[in-house]
């Protein structure tokens, strides 16, 4: 191993017995980077783990009648199993209940207290248990947690405080001087403008109302605030403040902390301030990725979609799931998950484009050359162009992976796959095979196909743990030198004389109609069947004769502010626009008859008022999940309740 190190982390996960596919997002992304860096010769430290303390866990355990430790132990095993199933190559797994972590957290707390960065005072404020976050009254939105919208509890207790405010100016300066520190840039602006520049308050860092946490050594009725405990994992896992700090010295500062956008604030404000106070270097980058959402709802309340990663991996295979996660959503933005989108990707990109290319190539070498690759090279126009497209790709993929642009990196690889498929159409091997005189040309075509696939298969390794090997088996590639990452820089490495092995189809096509029906059976909770006529009758009875609706009827309408993300005309309908709306955490699709009043461009970025609980209907075959009442010129937070 070389001496270049690379340290990457995921957040440590709350023990939840219902992990959905969205949870695997950060981990799969981090795994792709870790695999890539190892292939590039780095000595990689890839850390993940579990965040096991706090009031939320204590309450759940109480409800189940078990101790918090018993409660988390069982779940943590399940999480570890999931990462195994997803072939996550983490080098360490930290649990915040690990003894050495707890001891290091105690030492960190004590050090900060001794030097005056932590002091004792009294706390009065609102606490959101699900987010384990403190809020002041002015920060609440409609009296609820501004992050998750749930109930908060008024808390008054003796507490220790961390002098966060002291680090405000240094933090602003650091962020301004290090534009790579918070990525993507939009999140950097959000942190500076919404939190840092308006001013930081000191942070309450201990609790006395429950005891499932790391005890403060010098004041045992206090436990350390769960975020101080959790964030410390990134250094305690390396032995910081333990007898053996070797790994810490070797790997810290981290190259990147990958985190979901909702926890960027903790990682870019509290965490660096803690490190500044400890006199330790700051991580090089915090990357806040977007969320994977379900159309019309949150992942945790899945309806009509299978979101259990174990079921998905069993049904479609690991590589298909990992491919979807990394391809469908540009890292940094939000994206939508649906079983239909997943199956479409599998059919088009994996079965049609990649799978077919492998099968066709191997089958043709088998048929025309008895499975043994002849030694023949070609320099014609098509051949030159194919070679150019292939050879330009590895450096592009590397640059994109260095910037964590997984989706674009995969797009580049798929350009090669498409170009190679096109090459088959251009060179028409089946026509060449008809004339013995064309045999050398046919042989050269086969060589180019195999060589292009060789390079593709090597580049797929960070994303897919299983497919590259399947392709190597079929192409007959056994020599390590021919599948080495750096060998993608050279054209012509595929050894002539290699025997190919016809094998199974690597990505079978899925019959989408049948599959959707099957999935439907797995997920849909049958709505109560009502007699149609009865429903109509009831409606008629309720309608008011004077044309007014009652306040009770009005009260049923859920009016929300939503932001227009995308707008486009509906073909064959002058009045209709199809809109993609962001309503808080949800993405909605609405078909609206406002094309005469607004052009699509005009609407993008605008806020609208949406009747959010209108029964979905199909307009021109497109599902509409709500109705728009008005467009607003003033920016309001999306998802805000109007009524
Ligand atoms: N325990 C804290 C992190 C402490 S780090 C010092 C936590 N845990 S979590 O289990 O709620 O989330 C773990 C990761 O999963 C986060 O990065 C979060 O953004 C990610 N995701 C959970 N649901 C997600 C989606 N639906 N989509 C994408 N990622 C999401 O936060």
């Amino acid at each position: 191993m070389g001496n270049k190190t690379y340290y990457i982390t995921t957040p440590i996960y709350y023990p939840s017995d219902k992990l959905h596919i969205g949870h695997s997002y950060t981990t799969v992304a981090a795994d792709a980077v870790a695999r890539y860096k190892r292939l590039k010769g780095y000595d990689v430290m890839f850390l993940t783990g579990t965040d096991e303390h706090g009031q939320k866990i204590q309450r759940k355990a109480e409800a189940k009648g078990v101790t918090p430790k018993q409660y988390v132990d069982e779940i943590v095993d399940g999480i570890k199993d999931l990462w195994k199933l997803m072939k996550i190559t983490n080098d360490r797994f930290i649990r915040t209940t690990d003894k050495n972590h707890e001891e290091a957290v105690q030492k960190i707390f004590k050090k900060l207290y001794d030097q005056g960065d932590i002091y004792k005072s009294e706390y009065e404020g609102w606490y959101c248990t699900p987010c384990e976050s403190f809020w002041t009254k002015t920060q609440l939105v409609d009296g609820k947690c501004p992050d998750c919208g749930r109930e908060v509890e008024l808390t008054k207790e003796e507490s220790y405080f961390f002098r966060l405010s002291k680090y405000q100016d240094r933090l602003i300066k650091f962020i301004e001087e290090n534009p790579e520190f918070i990525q993507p840039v939009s999140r950097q602006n959000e942190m500076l403008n919404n939190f840092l520049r308006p001013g930081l308050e000191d942070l309450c860092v201990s609790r006395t109302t429950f005891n499932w946490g790391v005890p403060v050594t010098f004041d045992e009725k206090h436990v350390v605030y769960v975020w101080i405990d959790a964030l410390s994992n990134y250094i305690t896992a390396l032995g910081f403040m333990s007898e053996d700090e070797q790994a810490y010295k070797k790997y810290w500062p981290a190259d990147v902390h990958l985190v979901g956008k909702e926890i960027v604030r903790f990682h870019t404000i509290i965490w660096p301030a803690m490190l500044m106070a400890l006199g330790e270097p700051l991580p090089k980058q915090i990357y806040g990725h977007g969320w994977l959402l379900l159309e019309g709802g949150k992942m945790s309340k899945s309806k009509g979609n299978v979101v259990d990663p174990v079921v998905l991996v069993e049904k479609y295979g690991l590589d298909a799931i990992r491919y979807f996660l990394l391809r469908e959503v540009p890292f940094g933005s939000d994206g939508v998950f649906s079983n239909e989108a997943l199956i479409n990707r599998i059919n088009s990109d994996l079965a049609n484009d990649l799978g077919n290319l492998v099968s066709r190539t191997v089958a043709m070498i088998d048929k025309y050359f008895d499975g043994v690759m002849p030694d023949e090279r070609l320099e014609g126009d098509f051949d030159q162009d194919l070679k150019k497209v292939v050879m330009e790709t590895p450096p592009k993929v590397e640059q994109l992976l260095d910037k964590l642009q997984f989706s674009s990196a995969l797009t580049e690889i798929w350009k090669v796959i498409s170009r190679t498929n096109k090459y088959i159409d251009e060179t028409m091997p089946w026509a060449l095979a008809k004339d013995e005189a064309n045999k050398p040309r046919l042989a050269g075509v086969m060589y180019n196909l195999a060589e292009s696939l060789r390079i593709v298969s090597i580049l797929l390794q960070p994303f897919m743990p299983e497919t590259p090997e399947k392709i190597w088996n079929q192409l007959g590639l056994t020599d390590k030198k021919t599948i080495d990452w750096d060998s993608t820089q050279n054209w012509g490495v595929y050894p002539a004389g290699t025997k190919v092995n016809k094998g199974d189809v690597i990505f079978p096509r899925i019959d989408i109609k049948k599959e959707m029906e099957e999935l439907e059976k797995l997920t849909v909770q049958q709505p109560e069947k009502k007699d149609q006529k009865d429903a109509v009758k009831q409606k008629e009875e309720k309608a008011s004769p004077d044309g007014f609706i009652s306040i009770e009827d009005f009260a049923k309408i859920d009016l929300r502010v939503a932001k227009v993300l995308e707008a486009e005309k509906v073909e064959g309908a002058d009045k209709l626009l199809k809109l993609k709306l962001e309503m808080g955490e949800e993405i909605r699709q609405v078909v609206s008859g406002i094309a005469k009043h607004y052009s699509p461009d005009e609407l993008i970025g605008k806020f609208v008022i949406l009747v959010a609980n209108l029964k979905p209907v199909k307009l021109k075959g497109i599902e509409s999940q709500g109705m728009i009442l008005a467009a607003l010129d003033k920016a309001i937070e999306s998802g805000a309740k109007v009524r």
Side-chain angles (χ1 to χ4, degrees), residues 461-494:
Q461 289 174 96
F463 313 92
M464 298 184 174
E466 295 170 349
T467 303
E469 212 172 313
K470 288 185 187 163
I471 301 179
W472 299 336
N473 284 339
Q474 299 212 19
L475 287 180
L477 289 169
T478 45
D479 184 350
K480 281 246 172 312
K481 283 202 289 284
T482 62
I483 51 173
D484 187 67
W485 182 266
D486 286 338
S487 74
T488 55
Q489 285 164 20
N490 304 312
W491 179 266
V493 175
Y494 187 91

Side-chain angles (χ1 to χ4, degrees), residues 407-538:
S407 179
S408 309
L410 282 166
T411 305
E412 291 302 326
I413 300 175
W414 254 257
K415 278 188 200 159
V416 173
I417 296 171
S418 301
R419 181 65 192 88
T420 315
N421 273 319
K422 191 169 144 214
Y423 178 76
I424 301 183
D425 299 339
E426 289 165 345
T427 54
M428 296 193 286
W430 52 92
L432 293 174
K434 285 187 185 141
D435 187 347
E436 195 58 26
N438 286 330
K439 261 268 152 112
R441 167 129 193 93
L442 181 62
V445 168
M446 292 303 113
Y447 188 88
N448 287 346
L449 291 177
E451 179 60 357
S452 165
L453 257 181
R454 182 188 71 84
I455 294 178
V456 163
S457 63
I458 297 172
L459 295 177
L460 285 176
Q461 289 174 96
F463 313 92
M464 298 184 174
E466 295 170 349
T467 303
E469 212 172 313
K470 288 185 187 163
I471 301 179
W472 299 336
N473 284 339
Q474 299 212 19
L475 287 180
L477 289 169
T478 45
D479 184 350
K480 281 246 172 312
K481 283 202 289 284
T482 62
I483 51 173
D484 187 67
W485 182 266
D486 286 338
S487 74
T488 55
Q489 285 164 20
N490 304 312
W491 179 266
V493 175
Y494 187 91
T498 302
K499 173 115 182 56
V500 299
N501 310 298
K502 259 175 93 171
D504 293 340
V505 166
I506 54 173
F507 290 104
R509 252 194 98 75
I510 299 169
D511 180 334
I512 185 151
K513 201 165 160 264
K514 258 205 203 144
E515 188 68 16
M516 291 309 290
E517 282 165 12
E518 203 179 296
L519 289 169
E520 191 101 357
K521 276 189 227 141
L522 275 179
T523 56
V524 166
Q525 302 103 357
Q526 288 289 321
E528 288 162 83
K529 282 204 176 135
K530 279 195 192 128
D531 188 282
Q532 200 72 18
K533 276 187 201 151
D534 261 11
V536 174
K537 217 171 121 204
Q538 270 179 17

Side-chain angles (χ1 to χ4, degrees), residues 11-14 20 22-23 25-26 51 227 230-231 233-234 259-260 262-263 267 289-292:
I12 45 173
Y13 285 71
Y14 292 127
H20 54 66
H23 284 117
Y25 190 64
T26 325
D51 185 359
W227 270 100
L231 289 162
N233 94 88
Y234 300 128
V259 302
E262 80 286 10
I263 52 175
H267 284 82
H289 66 69
W291 286 336
L292 199 61

